[in-house]
Amino acid sequence: MWGGATAANQYEGGYLSGGKGLAVADTLTGGDGIHGIPRTFVCEMPDGTRAVFGARDDIPAGAKAIVDPDTYYPSHIATDFYHHWKEDIAMFAEMGMNTFRLSINWTRIFPNGDDEEPNEEGLEFYENVFKECHKYNIEPLVTLYHFDCPLHLANEYDGWVSRHTLDAFEKFCRTVLTRYKGLVKWWLTINEININGNFMMNGIHEAISNKKNYEQCMFHLFLGGAKAVLLAHEIDPENKVGLMLNHGATYPYSCNPDDVMEEIKAAHNYKWFYGDVQCRGFYPEYKLKELEREGIVLDKEEGDDEILKKGVVDFFSFSYYSSSTYAAHPEEHEESESNMTRGLSNPYLKKSEWGWTVDPVGLRVNLNQIYDRYHIPVMIVENGLGALDTVEEDGTINDTYRIQYMHDHIVQMKKAIEEDGVDLIGYTPWGHIDLVSAGTGEMRKRYGFIYVNKDDEGNGDLSRSRKNSFYYMQKVYKSNGEDLDM
Ligand code: BG6
């Protein structure tokens, strides 16, 4: 499966069109990743005052995110798939894509997240999109939840900390899985579940200072994912459902055994825990020990453990952008940053303009480790280079840096399949069409092979054009990865 990947909150726009309600993402401002200026929320506080919080701050309980009329919100129009879907899907087909990853905006179907009845106009929108994909033999790969907690559930229920959100999600899943039976066969449950608990985008208040909140939120997300798997299989046995993790490669900083042990702990904590639960169906021992040490007892209902056990996934999908290293004495080394994760810099590797380590071999390392551990099919559902693009006077965009990045990563995928025997079944690079950055809210951090004319202030006519990487990917896709020459 060769394709491209997007998320509704970063691509779709139409933020109140067709009966859509507000999601937390609609209240997130733009930031500046190169200069370290974070995205923020304008919140109404319980005493009636207003306060602004960074997206990764510990936001106090009772604060309600709002849409401030004087503030610019990049997701409101995003890159306007809502009005360009026919044109975009035709371009995807031209590029040779046979798979298109997109997410369903929960608030387009249930405007408050927990409404009695679904919004028919929202359901129709995706139905038309899926039918259009099939016209071109493009298989939709649909994420059920990609950073888009309904604002009502976030403000009134503290999002996924509450069982109420889990129940509402289950209803949402049942609705869309039933409606799109026969149109969608490939599903992803919760995007990057391992970084979901970290920030208000997913509705959680006091995630940093209150670890119980974080763990409870995670438990509900796992249950949400497992219930989605069970529902998908019950509604259509043809359905294939995958987990989705943020899965950078992790290395010990050195061969000092203390550094090696540090990497094992970091990797458990950052990624394996989340894969272990969703592939094996239970909390691993190292996590149970941690909860015990911290005195955290999860609130569970009868039958929850059984749901986790039965709702294991059919395949493993992940995003891959970079790698980081871990040391017993991190203060002696330079920090590195990637999407919402932190480790230490690797002296052997270069970084992108946004400071993310570029590491193609790390992708092969990852593929091997994942397949060795779980032995189920693997899909890379995000990968790519966020970079500044220049449009030349004649309209061309010569993004050789992106072509190089794609080439180097695909070479490693090929080795993982041909030399290591990894059952890698699909590749959908991130933001194959320009969209809003999740981490920074910027437009100028572009991943696309298709350029969208829009800037960080919202100027631009949203017209689409082909970058040089479009033609490179077309060649790769149409040759089924045989022709990688740049
Ligand atoms: C992943 C997300 O974290 O990485 C995407 O699933 C996100 O939503 C992508 O856009 C790239 O990160 P960023 O911050 O550069 O947009």
Side-chain angles (χ1 to χ4, degrees):
M1 298 167 82
W2 295 106
T6 61
N9 80 86
Q10 293 165 255
Y11 177 38
E12 206 172 270
Y15 88 112
L16 288 180
S17 304
K20 184 185 166 303
L22 284 174
V24 176
D26 296 319
T27 65
L28 248 185
T29 67
D32 176 339
I34 293 182
H35 299 102
I37 300 169
R39 305 187 77 177
T40 58
F41 291 105
V42 179
C43 291
E44 230 159 50
M45 305 305 286
D47 64 1
T49 57
R50 284 195 179 180
V52 178
F53 296 98
R56 297 192 218 175
D57 286 355
D58 204 13
I59 299 184
K64 295 184 194 234
I66 57 163
V67 172
D68 171 25
D70 300 323
T71 302
Y72 171 67
Y73 292 95
S75 75
H76 288 188
I77 295 180
T79 45
D80 205 23
F81 178 64
Y82 193 71
H83 296 105
H84 289 76
W85 53 278
K86 279 198 174 184
E87 173 191 351
D88 287 359
I89 294 168
M91 277 178 107
F92 303 163
E94 182 192 331
M95 200 169 80
M97 281 170 49
N98 60 24
T99 310
F100 169 34
R101 178 177 174 220
L102 70 165
S103 70
I104 296 179
N105 216 319
W106 184 347
T107 52
R108 203 172 278 298
I109 310 300
F110 290 99
N112 292 296
D114 59 357
D115 311 70
E116 256 324 290
E117 296 298 326
N119 168 32
E120 179 55 31
E121 222 179 320
L123 285 167
E124 261 173 38
F125 170 69
Y126 294 107
E127 187 173 323
N128 290 334
V129 166
F130 299 146
K131 285 184 174 158
E132 192 72 9
C133 288
H134 286 295
K135 249 170 66 182
Y136 296 98
N137 292 322
I138 293 177
E139 201 67 53
L141 167 64
V142 177
T143 319
L144 287 160
Y145 182 82
H146 193 131
F147 299 161
D148 61 358
C149 185
L151 188 63
H152 166 71
L153 298 181
N155 280 342
E156 307 306 326
Y157 293 92
D158 208 357
W160 284 93
V161 176
S162 154
R163 189 96 193 180
H164 180 75
T165 298
L166 170 65
D167 294 342
F169 180 69
E170 186 178 356
K171 182 167 162 188
F172 161 73
C173 289
R174 185 180 286 283
T175 305
V176 297
L177 286 160
T178 306
R179 175 68 173 241
Y180 303 128
K181 180 175 175 181
L183 279 176
V184 180
K185 180 175 144 194
W186 293 89
W187 299 90
L188 301 179
T189 55
I190 316 255
N191 181 68
E192 293 187 336
I193 194 166
N194 52 331
I195 58 169
N196 263 262
N198 287 345
F199 57 128
M200 172 67 183
M201 198 151 173
N202 295 290
I204 177 170
H205 290 88
E206 291 179 342
I208 301 159
S209 63
N210 185 336
K211 192 157 165 24
K212 167 74 198 292
N213 269 357
Y214 176 84
E215 297 297 347
Q216 194 62 47
C217 164
M218 282 321 309
F219 182 64
H220 287 154
L221 283 163
F222 284 136
L223 276 179
K227 282 175 182 240
V229 173
L230 293 171
L231 279 169
H233 290 160
E234 171 201 313
I235 290 167
D236 185 351
E238 290 292 298
N239 278 331
K240 302 272 180 239
V241 194
L243 61 80
M244 199 298 192
L245 291 191
N246 176 310
H247 215 279
T250 53
Y251 308 123
Y253 190 83
S254 75
C255 51
N256 180 334
D258 289 338
D259 287 355
V260 174
M261 197 56 227
E262 207 51 40
E263 186 275 335
I264 289 178
K265 285 195 274 178
H268 274 166
N269 188 33
Y270 153 53
K271 53 186 186 180
W272 295 126
F273 161 52
Y274 303 87
D276 289 351
V277 175
Q278 296 176 92
C279 292
R280 294 172 174 162
F282 52 88
Y283 273 41
E285 290 73 15
Y286 55 85
K287 186 68 188 184
L288 295 175
K289 283 284 171 203
E290 180 196 325
L291 294 177
E292 192 184 307
R293 261 194 322 273
E294 309 245 356
I296 292 172
V297 180
L298 297 170
D299 301 331
K300 290 186 184 180
E301 284 184 6
E302 212 188 310
D304 282 355
D305 287 339
E306 199 56 22
I307 291 167
L308 278 195
K309 203 164 162 195
K310 288 193 179 142
V312 293
V313 293
D314 303 316
F315 65 96
F316 188 110
S317 90
F318 67 106
S319 63
Y320 180 79
Y321 295 95
S322 59
S323 62
S324 40
T325 68
Y326 296 87
H329 294 288
E331 67 285 355
E332 292 168 6
H333 308 282
E334 188 201 353
E335 270 208 347
S336 79
E337 183 154 351
S338 183
N339 43 350
M340 316 188 202
T341 58
R342 283 201 172 81
L344 302 170
S345 285
N346 187 327
Y348 297 98
L349 299 170
K350 294 207 171 75
K351 293 180 181 172
S352 77
E353 286 156 310
W354 270 262
W356 294 16
T357 301
V358 176
D359 181 7
V361 177
L363 179 57
R364 182 176 176 189
V365 171
N366 242 333
L367 286 167
N368 272 278
Q369 290 179 337
I370 292 166
Y371 195 58
D372 284 352
R373 195 170 181 118
Y374 303 119
H375 226 260
I376 55 176
V378 184
M379 218 190 269
I380 302 160
V381 295
E382 285 187 33
N383 172 234
L385 180 68
L388 295 164
D389 289 334
T390 308
V391 185
E392 305 296 341
E393 271 184 18
D394 64 356
T396 55
I397 299 156
N398 190 12
D399 54 343
T400 42
Y401 36 89
R402 186 169 291 111
I403 294 172
Q404 185 75 54
Y405 183 101
M406 302 316 296
H407 167 271
D408 295 351
H409 284 78
I410 298 170
V411 163
Q412 296 302 323
M413 287 161 43
K414 210 172 162 67
K415 288 186 178 169
I417 297 171
E418 290 174 358
E419 294 178 34
D420 311 330
V422 174
D423 188 12
L424 173 59
I425 58 171
Y427 182 55
T428 60
W430 175 250
H432 63 292
I433 177 164
D434 289 346
L435 36 66
V436 176
S437 156
T440 69
E442 293 165 300
M443 266 311 303
R444 67 183 183 147
K445 187 181 189 190
R446 295 174 184 275
Y447 287 86
F449 314 127
I450 298 170
Y451 185 85
V452 179
N453 179 18
K454 184 185 169 186
D455 68 15
D456 283 333
E457 283 73 47
N459 307 305
D461 63 5
L462 295 162
S463 57
R464 277 67 171 141
S465 55
R466 294 159 189 79
K467 304 182 193 178
N468 283 0
S469 54
F470 178 95
Y471 301 104
Y472 178 69
M473 295 308 286
Q474 187 181 52
K475 188 169 75 150
V476 173
Y477 285 3
K478 292 202 167 170
S479 68
N480 192 25
E482 288 305 325
D483 185 357
L484 298 183
D485 288 350
M486 292 193 290

